């Protein structure tokens, strides 16, 4: 359930690992209309400065899987997935030990704001263009023999104390041997206590047109990030708001994003605004994803990825496919078990 990057990646991996399986992905909107479409697509475990060592390890391991995973997606789907190992700069307003000096920085990325005195250079990190990745994943999944239902609303998920009994949709009741919840911020609609802990954190973003492609690396600032695309679009993001599912861009948020972006990279002042949008990150109280088994024997969970859904797609797909197929479990998986979620919810 859920046709974003996580759902499609798991579906594809299941078909790759066992092509005898009949795999159906159900998406309530068009594929990727949720957080996957709204994301910036940064692959930035070090730039994010993740404080939890378990999550940091998970993200780093998934980053290492990315080149081979993208190659498989593009080979099967015959579409570009938008992967770009462009490197990430973390500009700082103070001298950083082992960081780039301002002269070195001006050589690597000219035109940064005058307040920047040094930067951390992370050449191993980069991005994937999520709006290319989604159609590439969809094509790869279908070419691998998967089935997809789009624009099919999920109305109810009846279950007893042991099993999920099916998925009630606008097309009727759908039943399977195993189910995987990849509903992101909407996971709570399954009405399971463990999934009711997943909540949305809204993010607003802006895209500018940078025809001269002045920016060649991601800038991960202290309060803003700038992500250049190879087609000349330049993404500015993102707010972090706990406002439920309140839709829309707000004037204050757009103003704040642009002001911070221009301080970091003054040439943005002359660029054209192309669009603005928002999305809802699926978040948990401890900011860790919920991965693995569930209280129901035939339901698996892959949700709550917060800011790292696209980064974590390769390892999430590998782990969840392995679980469904009964393969050995990676010991790190226990850190993201639903059981710790119940403890948080009851405290």
């Amino acid at each position: 359930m859920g046709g974003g990057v996580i759902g499609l990646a798991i579906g594809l991996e299941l078909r790759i690992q066992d092509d005898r399986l009949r795999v159906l992905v159900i998406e309530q909107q068009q594929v990727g209309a949720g957080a996957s479409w709204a994301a910036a697509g940064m692959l930035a475990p070090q730039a994010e400065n993740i404080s939890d060592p378990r999550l940091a390890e998970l993200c780093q391991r998934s980053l290492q899987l990315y080149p081979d995973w993208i190659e498989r997606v593009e080979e099967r789907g015959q579409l570009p997935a938008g992967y770009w190992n462009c490197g990430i700069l973390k500009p700082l307003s103070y001298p950083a030990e082992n960081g780039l000096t301002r002269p070195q920085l001006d050589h690597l990325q000219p035109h940064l704001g005058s307040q920047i005195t040094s930067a951390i250079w992370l050449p191993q990190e980069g991005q994937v263009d999520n709006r290319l990745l989604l159609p590439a994943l969809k094509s790869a999944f279908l070419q691998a023999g998967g089935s997809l239902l789009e624009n099919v609303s999920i109305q109810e998920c009846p279950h007893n104390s042991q099993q999920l009994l099916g998925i009630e949709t606008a097309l009727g009741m759908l039943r399977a041997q195993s189910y995987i919840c990849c509903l992101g911020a909407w996971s709570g609609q399954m009405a399971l206590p463990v999934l009711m802990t997943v909540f949305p954190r809204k993010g607003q973003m802006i895209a500018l047109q940078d025809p001269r492609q002045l920016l060649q690396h991601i800038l991960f600032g202290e309060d803003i990030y700038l992500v250049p695309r190879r087609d000349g679009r330049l993404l500015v993001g993102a707010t972090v708001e706990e406002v439920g599912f309140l839709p829309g861009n707000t004037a204050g948020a757009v103003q704040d994003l642009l002001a911070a972006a221009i301080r970091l990279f003054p040439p943005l002042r002359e660029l054209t605004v192309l669009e603005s949008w928002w999305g809802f990150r699926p978040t948990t109280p401890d900011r860790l994803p919920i991965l693995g088994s569930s209280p129901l024997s035939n339901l698996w969970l892959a949700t709550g990825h917060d800011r790292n859904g696209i980064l974590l797609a390769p390892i999430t797909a590998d782990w969840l496919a392995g679980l469904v197929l009964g393969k050995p479990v990676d010991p790190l998986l226990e850190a993201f078990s639903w059981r710790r979620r119940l403890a948080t919810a009851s405290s």
Side-chain angles (χ1 to χ4, degrees):
M1 295 169 286
V5 166
I6 295 294
L8 289 170
I10 294 171
L12 174 60
E13 192 64 29
L14 282 166
R15 286 291 303 167
I16 289 174
Q17 293 194 23
D18 188 345
D19 61 11
R20 298 168 299 175
L21 290 178
R22 296 175 60 191
V23 181
L24 171 65
V25 170
I26 306 170
E27 170 54 47
Q28 301 190 88
Q29 305 175 68
Q30 289 291 115
V31 158
S36 296
W37 181 88
M42 287 187 296
L43 309 175
Q46 286 187 269
E48 290 272 9
N49 195 27
I50 298 167
S51 59
D52 190 293
R54 300 163 298 178
L55 181 59
E57 180 181 349
L58 183 71
C59 289
Q60 193 63 47
R61 285 168 60 175
S62 197
L63 178 65
Q64 292 168 1
L65 297 175
Y66 235 91
D68 289 341
W69 182 68
I70 287 290
E71 185 177 345
R72 291 199 303 274
V73 170
E74 292 183 333
E75 181 180 351
R76 289 178 175 271
Q78 294 297 299
L79 290 173
Y83 175 64
W84 184 13
N85 186 28
C86 59
I88 295 180
L89 276 168
K90 289 196 70 171
L92 302 169
S93 57
Y94 54 87
E97 185 178 354
N98 300 320
L100 299 178
T101 63
R102 183 64 200 231
Q104 292 172 320
L105 191 52
D106 286 338
H107 177 73
L108 182 62
Q109 180 58 70
H111 310 303
L112 289 175
S114 59
Q115 78 280 12
I116 302 303
T117 60
S118 65
I120 304 299
W121 172 232
L122 302 169
Q124 73 278 16
E125 299 192 348
Q127 62 167 292
V128 62
D129 188 333
N130 45 303
R131 297 188 186 180
L132 293 177
L133 177 61
L134 283 161
L137 259 179
K138 176 181 175 179
S139 177
F141 173 62
L142 294 175
Q143 291 296 326
S147 300
L148 174 65
L149 290 177
E150 295 181 87
N151 298 306
V152 175
S153 61
I154 296 174
Q155 300 171 347
E156 189 180 2
C157 300
H159 57 85
N160 56 31
S161 61
Q162 296 181 320
Q163 287 194 323
L164 187 64
L165 302 177
I167 306 295
E168 185 67 49
T169 73
L171 301 178
M173 181 69 78
L174 301 177
R175 291 185 172 87
Q177 287 186 321
S178 298
Y179 304 84
I180 304 174
C181 175
C182 311
L183 292 170
W186 290 266
S187 296
Q189 73 183 89
M190 292 196 68
L192 290 175
V194 62
L195 294 175
M196 297 296 286
T197 63
V198 180
F199 64 95
R201 286 206 299 172
K202 181 179 177 180
Q204 300 187 47
M205 293 187 66
I206 306 163
L208 308 176
Q209 184 65 52
D210 182 12
R212 293 188 292 163
Q213 296 186 291
L214 297 172
L215 197 59
Q216 285 296 307
H217 312 287
I218 293 171
L219 298 183
F220 200 105
E222 296 171 12
D223 57 354
I224 196 78
Y225 56 74
L226 308 179
V227 183
R229 298 291 200 224
R230 279 178 160 154
D231 62 1
R233 296 171 74 243
L234 197 158
L235 278 53
V236 179
T239 65
V240 180
E241 307 168 53
E242 295 188 14
V243 293
F245 288 104
L246 181 67
N249 287 106
T250 60
V254 170
Q255 180 183 43
D256 291 346
L257 287 171
L258 287 174
I262 290 169
R263 283 196 301 272
L264 180 59
F265 194 62
L268 298 191
R269 184 182 300 275
E270 307 302 324
L271 302 186
T272 301
V273 176
L274 292 177
E275 61 173 319
S276 60
W277 68 94
W278 69 94
F280 300 106
R281 307 173 185 91
T283 306
T284 64
D286 63 3
R287 306 294 187 257
L288 303 184
I290 306 175
L291 303 175
S293 65
S294 81
L296 306 179
S297 63
N298 62 343
L299 174 66
W300 309 92
L301 306 176
T303 188
H305 291 78
D306 195 39
R307 298 168 62 98
N308 296 301
I310 290 178
L311 169 60
L312 290 174
I315 200 165
T316 298
D318 182 55
W319 282 8
L320 267 292
L323 282 169
V324 171
L325 295 171
K327 296 183 178 181
V329 176
D330 191 301
L332 183 59
L333 183 62
E334 183 60 29
F336 309 102
S337 166
W338 65 273
R339 293 178 178 86
R340 113 272 176 184
R341 197 80 359 252
L342 288 179
T344 301
S346 61
S347 60

